[in-house]
Amino acid sequence: MKKNHSYGCGSSDKCPPLPKCDTAKSHTHFCDVGTPENTGGVEQTIILGDVPIQTLTEADIYLPSYATEIKQIRKNVYLTQCKAVPVIPEGFPETPPTSVKLYVEGYIHKNIQYVDDCEGYVKDYSVNVPFKCYSLVNTLPEIDWEFSNKNSNSNEIRELAKNGMGADRCSFGSFTFEFLNEPIKCKLLNASVTQMDILSDFDKWGRFDKITEKAEVNLLVRLTQRQLANGLDD
């Protein structure tokens, strides 16, 4: 008997902390605090857009036993990934991004109830049918986004060696920087599924154990980002 394996089970998507490292001995620390900016400002969640998505999926579902009739199929849609990555335009950073590459994955959780004869118990079987959609989303509001440079091989600081014939290999530095961008968040607002089920693999009594499903999945996904309110000075 062929088995269906659950989709997306047995794994964790949580980002773990870095492993514990040694701590260097440092000397007395000095700091200089600058003038605060954006005082009295407002940080708010901006709706970048409610994005309609349609994806098609086809799956072969094998029942754990033969059936003569499907009584009912209950369906729920779950997302396992929804990630928006800004598309960097020409003229960046003066021209901010207004498009994203959207990566959406999920599954339809199906609860199938069926019978194997004219009388008897109704049997129950659950299975997950995966789907995915990767696409470009245009015409969004401006997205707050900056690049970082954490590599000390760029923007190096070098000093002249004492003999004046090259760089001092024992004295060097670098300039690195990090911009911590607000992530683009994704929320599923609603979902609908239209499907056709085709039966096959009949035995000599006219019972079947294979269902080929052709499904259309329609989603409405909201993309948001925390931004500084418009009209405020940087």
Side-chain angles (χ1 to χ4, degrees), residues 68-131:
T68 58
E69 183 182 0
I70 301 296
K71 288 296 186 180
Q72 180 175 256
I73 301 178
R74 292 175 57 86
K75 299 180 290 291
N76 298 93
V77 174
Y78 297 92
L79 296 186
T80 57
Q81 176 184 210
C82 187
K83 183 65 176 178
V85 180
V87 177
I88 305 304
E90 294 184 9
F92 180 84
E94 287 75 17
T95 303
T98 56
S99 302
V100 298
K101 293 290 182 64
L102 186 59
Y103 300 83
V104 175
E105 295 185 16
Y107 60 90
I108 310 166
H109 179 74
K110 302 173 68 69
N111 179 256
I112 304 172
Q113 297 179 358
Y114 64 96
V115 294
D116 59 5
D117 208 338
C118 295
E119 60 181 358
Y121 296 103
V122 176
K123 297 183 177 181
D124 188 274
Y125 176 63
S126 294
V127 64
N128 295 334
V129 178
F131 61 84

Side-chain angles (χ1 to χ4, degrees), residues 67-68 202-208:
T68 58
F202 292 92
D203 64 7
K204 62 182 180 180
W205 293 283
R207 301 178 304 176
F208 59 90

Side-chain angles (χ1 to χ4, degrees), residues 218-231:
N218 290 281
L219 311 171
L220 186 62
V221 170
R222 173 168 292 171
L223 302 180
T224 61
Q225 187 187 38
R226 295 285 295 179
Q227 296 183 5
L228 193 65
N230 292 330

Side-chain angles (χ1 to χ4, degrees), residues 9-81:
C9 298
S11 62
S12 175
D13 292 329
K14 292 184 178 179
C15 184
L18 289 172
K20 188 175 181 180
C21 300
D22 291 340
T23 301
K25 293 182 179 180
S26 57
H27 304 288
T28 304
H29 299 281
F30 298 92
C31 70
D32 183 18
V33 178
T35 303
E37 299 179 354
N38 298 321
T39 56
V42 176
E43 189 180 66
Q44 61 187 4
T45 299
I46 302 297
I47 298 177
L48 300 177
D50 294 342
V51 183
I53 300 170
Q54 183 183 97
T55 181
L56 305 179
T57 184
E58 182 180 78
D60 292 328
I61 299 172
Y62 293 89
L63 299 175
S65 60
Y66 279 100
T68 58
E69 183 182 0
I70 301 296
K71 288 296 186 180
Q72 180 175 256
I73 301 178
R74 292 175 57 86
K75 299 180 290 291
N76 298 93
V77 174
Y78 297 92
L79 296 186
T80 57
Q81 176 184 210

Side-chain angles (χ1 to χ4, degrees), residues 92 145-151 155 176-181:
F92 180 84
W145 208 254
E146 296 286 350
F147 284 135
S148 298
N149 189 341
K150 297 168 55 179
N151 193 337
N155 300 316
T176 63
F177 55 92
E178 293 181 274
F179 285 104
L180 304 182
N181 297 301

